[in-house]
Amino acid sequence: MSGSVSNTVPAITSSLSQLQALNGLFAIYKKQGPTSADVLNVLKEALLKEAGVKNPNPRKRKNQSLKMGHGGTLDSAASGVLVVGVGNGTKMLSTMLTGSKKYVAVGEFGKATDTLDATGSVTLEKGFEHITRLDVEEKLKAFTGDIMQVPPLYSALKKDGQRLSVLLKKGHKVDAKPARPVTVYSLTLQEFKPPLFTLDIECGGGFYVRSLVDDLGKALSSCAHVKELVRTKQGPFTLEEHALHEEQWTLEHVLRSLKTCSEGDPEEDHPKPKKSYNEKREQRRLSRLPCCWTCTDL
């Protein structure tokens, strides 16, 4: 599933019929800045242009010439693996929503923001000099396993059909969503250089790293926000081995990376930690939902 291409293999000429015949999953690299939907649109436009479609409009949802969606929204400020489904592969994206994910997060003690990351406005500043590496490692134990977590206000979650983040930017009052069960398989402190600290996280679907870092700061009698976030794994797709960068968004590279529907569940050949009852229940619920043009974490 590597994105590399041998110089000895002849280039593949793309056509719309070839694109429309694709069915499966592959991974791309989302850079920091654009939204996940924006990145998907750029990918789709690049493939349609290669296929000879004049003036492709990837944002047009009706009568789509290429069925494509992504499984699991990354914040605009985050980067890393974004799994894409094409054709019948979009039906497999619910697995990406609830499956195992890995992140590397850089947090900063001493400042809290309204978005819980570096893109927001500072809402609180507190001292952090009392925090030691041992303190952090001890507190992380309470955030491992099956836990309850309150999602951030600025998120892809919706109210009356609109994302909370959009409502907030429009000036609407938004109440926090109730705490919900999430699963953290592993959580370790990689680096501790106050005020900065780096966490390595493996979690299930519906988990928010921003909420974790905010809660950690409060638990240590301070405050904190996410300074940098990279998703290094989503399901069986890893950043190093599978994620196609923008210069690789061609039919040839997609064909080399595609895990087809006929190969079954993309998780089958990649062992992962046993799912909790809550995660299994959430996956069953998601599997009953129609897959939309752009799938997001719920």
Side-chain angles (χ1 to χ4, degrees):
M1 297 176 64
S2 173
S4 61
V5 179
S6 171
N7 292 330
T8 61
V9 178
I12 298 173
T13 302
S14 175
S15 69
L16 184 58
S17 60
Q18 285 177 304
L19 285 177
Q20 292 173 329
L22 296 178
N23 292 287
L25 299 174
F26 62 98
I28 63 173
Y29 172 74
K30 178 202 168 299
K31 62 184 179 181
Q32 186 179 18
T35 66
S36 296
D38 288 339
V39 171
L40 185 70
N41 285 332
V42 172
L43 166 68
K44 193 172 184 181
E45 185 174 13
L47 291 173
L48 288 172
K49 280 186 175 180
E50 183 189 359
V53 178
K54 295 182 179 180
N55 302 317
N57 183 3
R59 290 171 174 80
K60 185 179 180 182
R61 300 199 178 193
K62 291 185 178 180
N63 301 319
Q64 286 287 314
S65 57
L66 180 60
K67 185 180 180 183
M68 186 175 286
H70 70 75
T73 299
L74 269 176
D75 294 334
S76 58
S79 62
V81 178
L82 185 68
V83 176
V84 175
V86 59
N88 290 337
T90 57
K91 298 176 182 179
M92 303 165 67
L93 287 172
S94 60
T95 302
M96 295 298 106
L97 298 175
T98 56
S100 171
K101 305 174 181 69
K102 288 185 178 180
Y103 297 89
V104 173
V106 177
E108 181 178 355
F109 286 124
K111 294 180 181 179
T113 70
D114 52 2
T115 60
L116 309 188
D117 64 16
T119 66
S121 301
V122 175
T123 58
L124 178 66
E125 294 190 47
K126 295 186 72 173
F128 58 86
E129 294 79 7
H130 62 282
I131 301 174
T132 67
R133 184 185 185 97
L134 186 61
D135 291 333
V136 177
E137 291 176 334
E138 188 63 29
K139 288 296 182 184
L140 288 179
K141 295 177 183 178
F143 296 101
T144 305
D146 294 332
I147 64 172
M148 299 297 291
Q149 184 187 68
V150 176
L153 287 178
Y154 283 86
S155 69
L157 298 175
K158 295 182 178 180
K159 177 185 178 182
D160 299 327
Q162 293 194 62
R163 292 189 178 189
L164 298 184
S165 56
V166 173
L167 291 172
L168 285 167
K169 290 175 182 177
K170 290 181 177 179
H172 295 281
K173 186 179 184 301
V174 174
D175 295 324
K177 292 284 186 178
R180 61 183 188 177
V182 293
T183 301
V184 181
Y185 300 119
S186 64
L187 179 58
T188 57
L189 179 64
Q190 283 189 344
E191 193 171 26
F192 182 70
K193 293 183 178 180
L196 302 181
F197 59 97
T198 303
L199 301 175
D200 188 76
I201 306 155
E202 182 172 11
C203 58
F207 181 84
Y208 282 90
V209 176
R210 286 180 290 140
S211 291
L212 165 69
V213 171
D214 181 65
D215 290 340
L216 178 62
K218 294 174 181 176
L220 290 164
S221 301
S222 182
C223 57
H225 69 276
V226 173
K227 191 174 181 66
E228 184 179 340
L229 181 64
V230 180
R231 183 156 64 196
T232 59
K233 177 181 177 291
Q234 188 177 6
F237 300 96
T238 64
L239 181 59
E240 290 186 358
E241 294 183 53
H242 308 119
L244 300 178
H245 289 252
E246 194 164 347
E247 64 272 14
Q248 298 173 308
W249 293 354
T250 66
L251 176 64
E252 185 170 9
H253 285 86
V254 170
L255 283 171
R256 291 180 175 278
S257 302
L258 192 69
K259 190 169 185 66
T260 61
C261 296
S262 61
E263 292 177 330
D265 191 314
E267 298 272 26
E268 287 180 356
D269 300 326
H270 298 262
K272 64 180 181 179
K274 186 177 180 181
K275 291 181 180 178
S276 67
Y277 169 76
N278 289 321
E279 191 173 18
K280 289 179 180 178
R281 183 178 61 182
E282 180 70 0
Q283 183 168 356
R284 287 195 297 270
R285 183 181 73 82
L286 288 170
S287 66
R288 293 193 293 270
L289 297 176
C291 186
C292 58
W293 175 70
T294 301
C295 295
T296 59
D297 278 322
L298 301 179

